[in-house]
Amino acid sequence: MPPITEFTNEGLTFSVTEAGPADGVPVLLLHGFPQRASAWAGVTPLLNDRGFRTLAPDQRGYSPGARPTGRRQYSLRHLTGDIAALIDEIGAPVHLVGHDWGAIVAWAVASNHPDKVASLTAVSVGHPGAFMRSLRTSSQALRSWYMVFFQIPWLPERLLTMRSGVGERMQAKLGMTPAMVEQFRTGIVDDGALPGGVNWYRGLPLTSPSFVGPVSVPTTVVWSDGDHFLSRAQAVESERFVRAPFDFAPMEGASHWIPEERPTELAEAILARIASVV
């Protein structure tokens, strides 16, 4: 079958990076903020070498043909519907992997469309229910200050687009390498993807917490102890919301940016989860 380079949903067109054997079992990789499909560049060859077909979309707000205006277009229901449509295009259940915001979408897809998901590997972000619990029981509330900040109109975009400004310095302090900061500059800011990316945060209050219920597919949560944004509690307590085999895979000494920083270890965690259901 020809590779999938794009798909459509709700009148929007999304770009997709596909690699690996066309007849391989599909692994669908969802990026987070502020990144694009290229965040998986270190992971995909490792999966392809093991015979898997990988697909990584630029999601809503990031694909040039899928940048609606207004925060209502970025609710979790819309983001979940996009990925469900892509899985329908693939034509078979996928092994679903998501990092950061991509993990939130992955949890929502696995919860609402279990027939489309063979396994789930959530990277950095645990189940939304566990995240909400951790706000009361751990340091997560302090770590999540930026989610409130991003609700402010136009100011976050202003700060993040200033060259050598607050946003750039913050990214470096939180673990981004100079190459990653430059990728943010060219692939997000200069390409016009930043407003859509920030709107994911602004759209979050528009979806009921009950939208993401328990997950019934085999699940692994990968978390790094150098993550400034996300606590161990929200990762570990995700097991409460999984009605299937569950593994917690901690990484020592890694920052939040696991796909770029630890691609080999992450690929092995993904492959281990896949092997458990094949």
Side-chain angles (χ1 to χ4, degrees):
M1 65 179 67
I4 296 175
T5 58
E6 63 180 31
F7 73 99
T8 61
N9 186 50
E10 297 182 353
L12 306 174
T13 300
F14 300 79
S15 56
V16 180
T17 301
E18 179 176 331
D23 60 350
V25 173
V27 180
L28 180 53
L29 302 150
L30 307 181
H31 67 81
F33 174 86
Q35 298 172 298
R36 298 177 74 159
S38 57
W40 298 105
V43 176
T44 52
L46 303 174
L47 301 179
N48 300 151
D49 287 347
R50 298 287 284 273
F52 291 95
R53 173 191 179 198
T54 57
L55 302 101
D58 281 337
Q59 298 186 77
R60 183 176 292 233
Y62 297 89
S63 286
R67 294 177 180 170
T69 58
R71 66 175 186 147
R72 293 189 178 280
Q73 296 300 313
Y74 293 87
S75 72
L76 190 53
R77 288 184 181 275
H78 287 295
L79 304 175
T80 301
D82 295 337
I83 302 308
L86 174 54
I87 298 174
D88 288 342
E89 183 76 13
I90 295 168
V94 302
H95 294 283
L96 188 58
V97 183
H99 173 243
D100 187 79
W101 251 109
I104 298 175
V105 175
W107 283 110
V109 173
S111 173
N112 288 278
H113 304 280
D115 57 312
K116 300 181 189 294
V117 180
S119 76
L120 169 64
T121 302
V123 187
S124 301
V125 182
H127 188 281
F131 183 89
M132 295 302 295
R133 284 178 58 89
S134 72
L135 291 173
R136 303 188 301 270
T137 61
S138 73
S139 63
Q140 188 57 60
L142 291 174
R143 294 170 185 254
S144 300
W145 63 269
Y146 64 95
M147 299 179 71
V148 177
F149 172 66
F150 281 165
Q151 302 301 316
I152 302 172
W154 69 263
L155 182 59
E157 291 94 325
R158 174 66 175 171
L159 292 177
L160 288 170
T161 54
M162 292 172 59
R163 290 189 177 274
S164 300
V166 174
E168 213 164 270
R169 292 195 299 272
M170 180 178 68
Q171 289 165 342
K173 183 178 180 180
L174 296 176
M176 276 194 171
T177 65
M180 292 171 65
V181 173
E182 180 59 26
Q183 177 64 28
F184 166 76
R185 175 65 53 190
T186 58
I188 302 296
V189 175
D190 293 347
D191 194 57
L194 184 59
V198 174
N199 271 336
W200 283 43
Y201 291 93
R202 293 174 179 149
L204 187 58
L206 302 177
T207 302
S208 168
S210 64
F211 178 66
V212 186
V215 167
S216 60
V217 302
T219 298
T220 294
V221 174
V222 180
W223 173 84
S224 48
D225 62 4
D227 196 318
H228 292 274
F229 304 105
L230 296 150
S231 67
R232 181 186 180 96
Q234 58 86 38
V236 173
E237 293 191 11
S238 295
E239 186 172 11
R240 294 173 177 264
F241 300 88
V242 178
R243 312 292 189 257
F246 176 88
D247 286 323
F248 172 58
M251 290 187 182
E252 295 184 357
S255 74
H256 175 73
W257 314 104
I258 294 174
E260 296 92 342
E261 193 172 329
R262 299 285 181 88
T264 301
E265 291 178 60
L266 178 54
E268 289 302 321
I270 296 167
L271 289 166
R273 174 45 68 202
I274 292 173
S276 74
V277 298
V278 172

